[in-house]
Amino acid sequence: MKAKIIDLRYRTKDVLASLERGEPVEITSHGKLKGVIEPVKPAAQQQAMRVQDHPMFGSLPDEETVEAKIDQLRGTRYS
C-alpha cells in the first residue's frame, strides 16, 4: 500500500488494516518515498536473540571482566 503522510492521520484504520494483511506501507511526501512501515512478524516466527549469539559477544579478551572494563572506562571518577 502507498500512503501519503496525511493518510497516517486521517486514514489510520486503512493503514493498520493493510499491516494486518501483512502488506508493507510505503509513506510518501510530495510524491517522494520517505519510508516503509513493515508488518511485525508473528510471535512464532520471531526468534529472540541470545546475548551469546550477538556478533560482538566475546570480542574482548577472556581475562578482562565486565567490572574491570567499567572501572577502566570510569577511571578515578568513582574511586
Side-chain angles (χ1 to χ4, degrees):
M1 171 182 186
K2 288 188 179 184
K4 298 176 185 176
I5 289 178
I6 197 76
D7 293 336
L8 294 177
R9 181 173 181 183
Y10 293 112
R11 296 182 56 209
T12 307
K13 185 176 180 180
D14 296 336
V15 171
L16 290 175
S18 178
L19 291 171
E20 285 289 325
R21 291 190 302 268
E23 300 173 14
V25 179
E26 297 178 353
I27 306 300
T28 61
S29 175
H30 301 289
K32 295 180 183 176
L33 182 65
K34 294 295 181 180
V36 178
I37 301 175
E38 295 284 335
V40 176
K41 295 179 184 176
Q45 292 178 354
Q46 290 182 349
Q47 294 179 347
M49 179 183 273
R50 299 180 320 165
V51 172
Q52 294 85 356
D53 296 336
H54 194 278
M56 292 301 291
F57 183 78
S59 62
L60 294 176
D62 290 334
E63 60 273 353
E64 187 174 24
T65 64
V66 172
E67 290 82 13
K69 186 64 176 176
I70 294 295
D71 289 340
Q72 176 192 1
L73 291 172
R74 287 182 176 166
T76 59
R77 198 168 43 164
Y78 293 102
S79 294

